[in-house]
Amino acid sequence: MKLAMFGAGYVGLVTATCFAEMGNEVVCMDTDAAKVEALQQGRIPIYEPGLEDYVRRNLEENRLFFTTDLAEAVAHGLILLIAVGTPQDTDGSADLSAVLAVAREIGRHMNGYKVIVEKSTVPVGTALLVRQAVSEELRARGVEFEFDVVSNPEFLKEGTAVDDFMKPDRVVVGCDDVRVAELMKELYAPFVRTNHPIIIMDVVSAELTKYAANAFLATKISFINEIANICARTGADVDMVRRGIGSDPRIGNLFLFPGVGYGGSCFPKDMQALIHTARSRGYEPRILEAVEAVNLDQRRYFVEKVLDFFHGDVQDRVLAVWGLSFKPLTDDIREAPSLTIISRLLAAGARLQAYDPKAMPAVQAHLGEPPGLSYAPSGYAALQGAEALLIITEWTAFREPDFERMRSLMKNPVIFDGRNLYHPPKMAKLGFRYFPVGQKGE
Ligand SMILES: NC(=O)c1ccc[n+]([C@@H]2O[C@H](COP(=O)([O-])OP(=O)(O)OC[C@H]3O[C@@H](n4cnc5c(N)ncnc54)[C@H](O)[C@@H]3O)[C@@H](O)[C@H]2O)c1
């Protein structure tokens, strides 16, 4: 099939490439000329395991093309997929300006029937706005072409995005026309050969499904964080409690790890957008609001724990920070807890030596080198002379480090573990003062 993807970010690039991998001819358009130029040469601007090989192969085999020329992309595709960003607007709602800008451009350039697919996460009612935007442009041109608008939310996870897209648990398609549903089923058939379902529903339900999925996952995280906070005050061990409840299939073990709270490009903004949608329809979403509040507090508690340990005075104290991306296996730092934690500790006068396997360039671009923050070439280098180590992201390389070496490098063997990577009794034996989340430390 001939496809056009608008937006070559984490979602657009992965999905365009995977569609090409299945034999489709895909033109991927982005307004960022530098990004497009790099992609044309097979260099990918993000860290996503496995993606670069796929991009190169499909470029070489002439199934994947990158361009800044929107008209070219519109002319090429029968199916036009919109995967541009939908960041949080000032009132918490999703900012749809990029989505609607693409819709208008499609209206300005289309010359025949098109299926327009919302791949971006967009609130209920967006399909209608897309339809209006396209229709207005067609009217302004004095032409009439038929088109359909489909909601096809994306559930891939950064870090395992290629695998997630190639083998989805399910595909959700919201559309109001049987023939379009058949076309979308044909597009996704190669991805669901193991019989994972393609769930066809109305457009509005599909739009809401994505937000409901993210809200539920965010709720699981805040739930276990709340239980961890109760554990910390009662002497219970959240790791035991987590295992004790997770084996119940109604609860499940996934997404049940306490820590410094969720971040990333999706959960925080999607929670805000869903809260905004609910309120704008006259409903106060109490669970969602509590999930958000618990999440923000979780970062605050972590910083307070560090400050309390030093009796409120971290002025000029050297602290090591391991992990900056919002989760492992990505260089994405959007809404990463590390950014809040770093800003608060810098404001308190600490000197931070940070290390992350992939996200340091992104943090450097975002924060620069403010006084007090330096970037270390390795996890061990970050520990040099540190009075404590703060673990914020659970990269695998941090799971089984050389503790002897760590102790020899640090001024004080103190670890604040925001991801509960180690076994507290073992840490005590190794001579560390160890402070995990919701477990007894030292
Ligand atoms: N990142 C994820 O894990 C994930 C997962 C599921 C869904 N989503 C949703 O997918 C959407 C995209 O997210 P992302 O993380 O890929 O964003 P991103 O910021 O990585 O990528 C967006 C891309 O769109 C481009 N762009 C902006 N305006 C454009 C325009 N007018 N025309 C063409 N290109 C334009 C930008 O240059 C950028 O390359 C969002 O709605 C997000 O909520 C993201």
Side-chain angles (χ1 to χ4, degrees), residues 289-308:
E289 285 162 6
V291 166
E292 272 284 272
V294 168
N295 191 57
L296 289 179
D297 277 349
Q298 207 62 13
R299 301 173 189 191
R300 192 165 56 79
Y301 293 151
F302 186 77
V303 174
E304 278 169 9
K305 208 183 324 185
V306 176
L307 291 174
D308 283 352

Side-chain angles (χ1 to χ4, degrees), residues 6-13 29-32 35 46 70 83-87 97-99 101-102 119-122 154-158 210 214 265-266 269-270 326 332 334:
F6 300 91
Y10 285 86
V11 166
L13 181 58
M29 181 270 163
D30 201 291
T31 42
D32 183 336
K35 190 181 265 192
I46 53 170
L70 188 134
V84 297
T86 49
S97 53
V99 171
V102 173
K119 200 111 200 63
S120 303
T121 301
V122 289
E154 183 47 55
F155 298 98
L156 61 75
K157 303 181 286 301
E158 286 174 24
K210 174 65 189 173
N214 277 357
S265 63
C266 292
K269 79 170 173 62
D270 292 349
F326 85 92
D332 197 342
R334 289 178 280 185

Side-chain angles (χ1 to χ4, degrees), residues 263-403:
S265 63
C266 292
F267 287 3
K269 79 170 173 62
D270 292 349
M271 288 294 286
Q272 287 301 330
L274 186 54
I275 288 170
H276 186 273
T277 297
R279 282 191 189 143
S280 68
R281 308 296 205 276
Y283 180 77
E284 204 53 34
R286 286 162 296 169
I287 293 177
L288 304 182
E289 285 162 6
V291 166
E292 272 284 272
V294 168
N295 191 57
L296 289 179
D297 277 349
Q298 207 62 13
R299 301 173 189 191
R300 192 165 56 79
Y301 293 151
F302 186 77
V303 174
E304 278 169 9
K305 208 183 324 185
V306 176
L307 291 174
D308 283 352
F309 178 84
F310 291 108
H311 308 291
D313 180 15
V314 288
Q315 186 70 41
D316 289 326
R317 287 187 195 275
V318 175
L319 305 176
V321 177
W322 278 7
L324 301 172
S325 54
F326 85 92
K327 67 172 183 180
L329 286 176
T330 181
D331 59 354
D332 197 342
I333 58 157
R334 289 178 280 185
E335 299 295 325
S338 66
L339 299 177
T340 320
I341 292 166
I342 284 175
S343 306
R344 291 194 188 152
L345 289 170
L346 286 179
R351 284 166 47 207
L352 304 178
Q353 299 177 168
Y355 171 73
D356 186 283
K358 293 291 171 194
M360 288 193 296
V363 173
Q364 224 156 353
H366 183 75
L367 291 180
E369 303 217 7
L373 176 62
S374 62
Y375 303 94
S378 71
Y380 293 110
L383 297 173
Q384 190 67 53
E387 296 197 47
L389 162 66
L390 282 51
I391 300 177
I392 302 182
T393 315
E394 67 279 30
W395 285 89
T396 43
F398 302 152
R399 284 178 195 221
E400 204 58 64
D402 179 343
F403 291 108

